[in-house]
Amino acid sequence: MAIKKRKWKTAQGVKTAWSYVFDAPGSTRENRKQIFESGFESKKEATDAEVERRIKEQRDFELQKATPAEVPGTLAGLLKEFFSEHGAKSLAPKTLQRYREMAEYLDDDLLATQIPAIKPLHLSREWNRLLTSGGRGRKAGKPLSRKTVRNIAGLVSSAYTRGLRWGIAEVNPVEASEPPVPKKKEGIALSVEQQEQLIAGATAPWGMDVFLELDAATGARRGELLGLQWADLQGNQLNIGRSLSQVGQGVFLKEPKNKKFRAITIPPTALKKLNAHRREQEPYRAHFGASYQGDFIFCNPDGSPLKPDTISASVSLLFRSLDLPKGASLHTLRHTHGSHLLAAGVPLTDVSKRLGHANPHVTATVYAHALAGRDDLAAKAWEKFQTTGKQPIAVRVVVKRREKS
């Protein structure tokens, strides 16, 4: 067991965090895999989490040693086959990781139940349990959100759908169960002043202020921005064709969410800051020389890619420190960009294309409410029409006579 303590200085003072690291079951000198997690507030919290993680990793290791020819008979076996035969071959690594994490919330007794014995009532009970006390790990016994529970239900349903194709399930009991319906949450859109406050408050050696400026000016996704390379910048055009993703502590480049490349124009203010950021990188390139890694626009001093999860956490912390809207995150800047464009009267199809949505319907659903005060403009427009649009309106009434039989 290796429990470590780390300290670092911030503008608010000295911060402390604990972490753990250990060799995964089955590791050898030639093929070593380490399990690492940080961010714990105390040594005891890190120790408890490490023990729980060891148990989980050992259980997963034992499951993986099962004979491949065995046909799964339990829900746990069905999920295992779903992850290995479908997930590993067809899903993005990040998606597969989330699916595995969701499966960990399911009750052990339910997982051990034979597939034919699981009824919709059993699953409805499980959804209710998760809603009231489904948390695990550091949040053991705490309620899960309606959205999380519904996502878990969706995972089980997908596994059953595969089970039907494979002939190891006869029905999908999830369809007749009652997973919760998430409460619809309206996205947060910053005002222009709040957006400027956020960018002005950003400080980081890798250029957080420029990163946030470009995010606000383009509405690009987190992974798309972190995957950008200087070759993608042509004049004032930014070619977005890859995304940086993270699974565990590893990062890798992948195709964009909708598998399409798009070129978007960078506004002059953001372009000016981007060019200045490029000049500021030159001393780092000169210092590291041949060991400088890659050509990323946003990166560590040695050129290595940044970790997306770390960036999101840093931006969320910045939001809180500036006392900006509760619940705001890095994605808020993307939502703000779309909202500002719609509020400015940019056509929906153009906004959809700039954001990289699959179709304008997605844009209309997510961003149509734009900013607070938009309805005031509609009311004023209606009032103006009542005085300027007073023209006789011819109404033609057509009456059909009934034919005599």
Side-chain angles (χ1 to χ4, degrees):
M1 181 187 301
I3 306 296
K4 298 182 179 180
K5 182 179 181 181
R6 177 170 164 261
K7 292 184 178 181
W8 70 96
K9 293 182 178 180
T10 68
Q12 290 75 35
V14 178
K15 297 284 185 179
T16 303
W18 293 82
S19 64
Y20 67 74
V21 61
F22 63 88
D23 289 344
S27 289
T28 62
R29 282 187 177 181
E30 294 75 21
N31 186 19
R32 187 183 185 189
K33 177 185 175 183
Q34 289 194 315
I35 308 298
F36 170 82
E37 188 174 358
S38 64
F40 300 100
E41 295 181 357
S42 66
K43 183 177 181 180
K44 183 180 185 305
E45 186 179 352
T47 302
D48 292 344
E50 192 265 354
V51 170
E52 182 177 345
R53 184 68 179 272
R54 276 184 182 273
I55 295 173
K56 173 190 173 301
E57 293 294 332
Q58 186 63 41
R59 182 181 65 179
D60 291 347
F61 179 70
E62 295 297 330
L63 282 173
Q64 290 173 3
K65 292 196 300 183
T67 305
E70 293 178 356
V71 175
T74 64
L75 178 57
L78 175 60
L79 288 169
K80 177 179 176 293
E81 290 293 330
F82 176 76
F83 293 146
S84 62
E85 295 304 312
H86 173 65
K89 297 177 175 62
S90 304
L91 300 177
K94 187 71 173 180
T95 302
L96 181 58
Q97 179 194 33
R98 288 172 180 165
Y99 278 1
R100 290 185 182 279
E101 290 171 352
M102 285 192 287
E104 293 175 12
Y105 287 107
L106 292 168
D107 183 71
D108 290 338
D109 290 338
L110 180 64
L111 289 169
T113 303
Q114 294 294 310
I115 295 172
I118 298 178
K119 307 299 180 185
L121 176 60
H122 295 123
L123 297 176
S124 292
R125 288 172 177 169
E126 178 66 359
W127 312 148
N128 289 331
R129 183 192 71 81
L130 293 172
L131 282 172
T132 56
S133 58
R136 290 200 167 190
R138 284 178 282 173
K139 297 183 178 180
K142 293 186 177 180
L144 296 182
S145 70
R146 298 169 72 89
K147 181 180 179 182
T148 298
V149 176
R150 192 167 186 86
N151 288 343
I152 294 172
L155 163 63
V156 177
S157 182
S158 296
Y160 264 103
T161 299
R162 288 285 159 182
L164 289 169
R165 294 184 183 180
W166 295 331
I168 58 178
E170 296 182 356
V171 295
N172 182 354
V174 181
E175 293 178 352
S177 69
E178 299 176 273
V181 178
K183 295 179 180 178
K184 191 174 181 180
K185 295 176 70 176
E186 195 171 273
I188 299 171
L190 302 178
S191 66
V192 175
E193 292 76 16
Q194 289 173 328
Q195 186 171 273
E196 291 176 347
Q197 181 186 359
L198 178 73
I199 296 171
T203 55
W206 53 269
M208 182 192 281
D209 58 333
V210 184
F211 176 83
L212 295 179
E213 178 84 36
L214 190 62
D215 194 0
T218 63
R221 299 177 179 92
R222 176 187 71 175
E224 291 173 342
L225 289 171
L226 293 176
L228 286 173
Q229 299 181 18
W230 287 112
D232 299 323
L233 180 63
Q234 301 293 328
N236 67 341
Q237 293 283 310
L238 198 58
N239 297 310
I240 298 178
R242 68 182 70 82
S243 178
L244 188 71
S245 186
Q246 177 176 356
V247 175
Q249 293 300 308
V251 297
F252 58 94
L253 288 170
K254 66 173 186 177
E255 290 182 337
K257 189 175 182 180
N258 60 8
K259 301 186 183 301
K260 292 182 180 179
F261 291 69
R262 70 185 191 278
I264 59 178
T265 302
I266 307 174
T269 303
L271 181 61
K272 183 178 180 181
K273 287 190 176 182
L274 196 57
N275 288 328
H277 173 68
R278 188 173 195 170
R279 292 191 294 271
E280 290 173 359
Q281 274 189 352
E282 292 305 320
Y284 293 107
R285 289 176 177 271
H287 174 76
F288 287 96
S291 62
Y292 190 84
Q293 302 179 41
D295 192 41
F296 290 103
I297 292 179
F298 300 107
C299 55
N300 290 304
D302 64 353
S304 60
L306 298 164
K307 288 185 168 61
D309 290 351
T310 303
I311 301 308
S312 289
S314 299
V315 175
S316 294
L317 182 62
L318 178 61
F319 268 109
R320 292 195 295 272
S321 67
L322 296 174
D323 198 27
L324 288 170
K326 185 178 181 181
S329 64
L330 177 57
H331 191 77
T332 299
L333 283 176
R334 175 172 166 81
H335 185 82
T336 299
H337 183 76
S339 298
H340 283 192
L341 291 180
L342 289 170
V346 178
L348 186 67
T349 51
D350 293 340
V351 176
S352 179
K353 183 179 179 181
R354 186 170 177 83
L355 292 173
H357 284 160
N359 56 67
H361 176 70
V362 175
T363 314
T365 302
V366 180
Y367 296 91
H369 54 272
L371 295 171
R374 184 81 169 148
D375 193 57
D376 294 343
L377 297 176
K380 291 176 181 178
W382 183 90
E383 182 73 19
K384 181 179 180 181
F385 183 78
Q386 303 314 298
T387 58
T388 61
K390 290 181 178 179
Q391 296 178 2
I393 300 177
V395 179
R396 186 183 178 192
V397 179
V398 178
V399 179
K400 277 192 175 182
R401 292 185 177 179
R402 219 185 230 185
E403 295 183 0
K404 292 183 180 180
S405 58

